[in-house]
Amino acid sequence: QVQLQESGPGLVTTSQTLSLTCTVSGGSITTSYSYWSWIRQPPGKGLEWMGTISYSGRTFYNPSLKSRTSISRDTSKNQFTLQLSSVSPEDRAVYYCAGGNGLTMSTISKADKYVYRGQGTQVTVSS
């Protein structure tokens, strides 16, 4: 059974870079046609797709966040990492990592297409 676990600081300061890591167990992030994403949910709002890294290492980003977002991976540790720069209080949210197979360019941004999801981690931004 594939399981995902987010880790990282729960509190960051405005203008700093947020870094979160997702550790995957029970499956490999290099499995063909697998896609691994970061999704967040601000308080009182819906899920927002942030970006994806594919089984081959190709990355895709939400255009609205692309200038501040970077997703990378460490295949030796079966982990992928989110970096969000220049954070502000508007970046306060629960951040989830998620994984799925056989996604397409039209579905990688759809949160409900991911069959695997971590429990989420709350991130607060202090001014």
Side-chain angles (χ1 to χ4, degrees):
Q1 181 180 359
V2 177
Q3 294 184 319
L4 287 75
Q5 179 67 57
E6 304 91 350
S7 60
L11 179 66
V12 291
T13 304
T14 295
S15 80
Q16 290 189 333
T17 295
L18 168 67
S19 183
L20 296 174
T21 295
C22 182
T23 300
V24 179
S25 59
S28 172
I29 63 172
T30 61
T31 296
S32 292
Y33 307 110
S34 64
Y35 295 83
W36 307 92
S37 296
W38 288 96
I39 297 165
R40 68 180 183 179
Q41 186 167 28
K45 297 184 179 181
L47 295 169
E48 178 182 34
W49 171 72
M50 300 183 71
T52 299
I53 188 164
S54 76
Y55 60 97
S56 63
R58 187 179 176 188
T59 53
F60 310 86
Y61 298 108
N62 184 327
S64 68
L65 297 170
K66 185 176 182 178
S67 64
R68 299 196 292 129
T69 306
S70 178
I71 298 175
S72 58
R73 66 179 185 171
D74 185 336
T75 57
S76 67
K77 296 181 180 178
N78 214 33
Q79 296 175 332
F80 61 104
T81 298
L82 168 73
Q83 290 195 309
L84 180 67
S85 63
S86 304
V87 299
S88 71
E90 286 67 41
D91 293 310
R92 177 191 176 203
V94 178
Y95 286 73
Y96 300 92
C97 58
N101 297 300
L103 301 177
T104 66
M105 293 304 101
S106 64
T107 60
I108 58 172
S109 62
K110 310 295 184 184
D112 61 347
K113 298 299 183 183
Y114 291 87
V115 296
Y116 310 116
R117 188 190 294 184
Q119 63 184 15
T121 186
Q122 174 71 54
V123 173
T124 300
V125 181
S126 66
S127 56

